[in-house]
Amino acid sequence: MTAEELRKQMTEARQALSPEAREAAAQSFTERLCALPEWLRADTVALFLSFGSELDTRSVIETAFSEGKQVLLPICQKDYHMIFSVYTPTTPLITTGMGLEEIAPEAIQEVPPENIDFCLVPGLVFDDTGARIGYGAGFYDRFLPRLSEGTAIIGAGYDCQVIKNSPIPQKDTDVRLPMIVTEQGIYRSTKML
């Protein structure tokens, strides 16, 4: 299958999940993610506000606040450059032309990539080797190489978005993720824990 066909298939799979299944998945995902050693030792966490049928990340953000972590959210710029900015419960948000919620321009407090301990990465399709297909603009593929070597980089999605035992198409510019967390498990390379 092509990347576009896989994007379409996974979007439909996500949209087919019932509200109850989505809520249960978000809770299980949050518990699994926030028990990781990589999360526990992180002070500055780059997260994202879920969009559309994505796995809901709001409980992860709430957990980060309750644990005293500095929360960052992405801001996609028009040159396909992405930055992360400090986010608090009172930070004003705007809705972009793509329908994403982002920090309002007047509230942006950019944090350099080297100061990020933990980066959660959205995607449409993953495989159990860490390959990822995003939405096609390449924001994360450009940003992730700018992180420090010790930063924990973790893909986030429903288990139905992970293709097992069959590599997905990748371009030379695509960044492979060392770990993917779903509501059902943790994928490190080709092993599920």
Side-chain angles (χ1 to χ4, degrees), residues 2-192:
T2 67
E4 272 314 309
E5 289 168 334
L6 285 167
R7 281 188 182 104
K8 183 175 186 297
Q9 177 186 338
M10 292 305 175
T11 299
E12 290 171 355
R14 282 192 332 199
Q15 290 171 342
L17 295 169
S18 70
E20 296 79 17
R22 289 182 194 194
E23 187 176 331
Q27 181 177 345
S28 176
F29 167 78
T30 300
E31 290 168 4
R32 193 177 304 282
L33 183 80
C34 297
L36 289 172
E38 293 87 348
W39 171 270
L40 296 172
R41 66 176 168 254
D43 294 319
T44 301
V45 293
L47 306 176
F48 63 91
L49 283 169
S50 46
F51 165 73
S53 61
E54 284 180 336
L55 183 66
D56 193 343
T57 56
R58 281 165 176 76
S59 59
V60 173
I61 293 169
E62 289 167 10
T63 300
F65 287 140
S66 73
E67 294 177 359
K69 298 183 187 298
Q70 182 179 50
V71 175
L72 312 178
L73 292 181
I75 298 164
C76 299
Q77 301 177 320
K78 56 186 168 207
D79 58 358
Y80 296 103
H81 180 72
M82 187 168 69
I83 63 170
F84 277 84
S85 174
V86 175
Y87 174 69
T88 71
T90 60
T91 302
L93 298 172
I94 59 166
T95 302
T96 70
M98 295 184 286
L100 301 169
E101 285 185 295
E102 283 190 355
I103 293 170
E106 68 275 10
I108 291 174
Q109 301 173 54
E110 183 177 356
V111 172
E114 60 269 20
N115 292 356
I116 297 172
D117 302 317
F118 184 102
C119 185
L120 194 63
V121 182
L124 273 169
V125 189
F126 303 94
D127 73 19
D128 55 9
T129 70
R132 169 188 167 270
I133 296 174
Y135 293 89
F139 283 103
Y140 278 90
D141 290 316
R142 288 181 186 87
F143 179 79
L144 293 176
R146 297 172 55 212
L147 293 169
S148 297
E149 192 175 312
T151 303
I153 301 171
I154 297 171
Y158 294 104
D159 208 71
C160 66
Q161 294 175 252
V162 181
I163 295 177
K164 289 105 174 167
N165 305 313
S166 180
I168 59 177
Q170 293 282 276
K171 298 181 293 206
D172 291 342
T173 54
D174 291 340
V175 175
R176 196 172 291 274
L177 307 177
M179 187 188 315
I180 298 156
V181 177
T182 74
E183 78 279 14
Q184 292 183 25
I186 299 168
Y187 297 86
R188 293 182 194 262
S189 182
T190 57
K191 296 179 183 173
M192 182 173 173

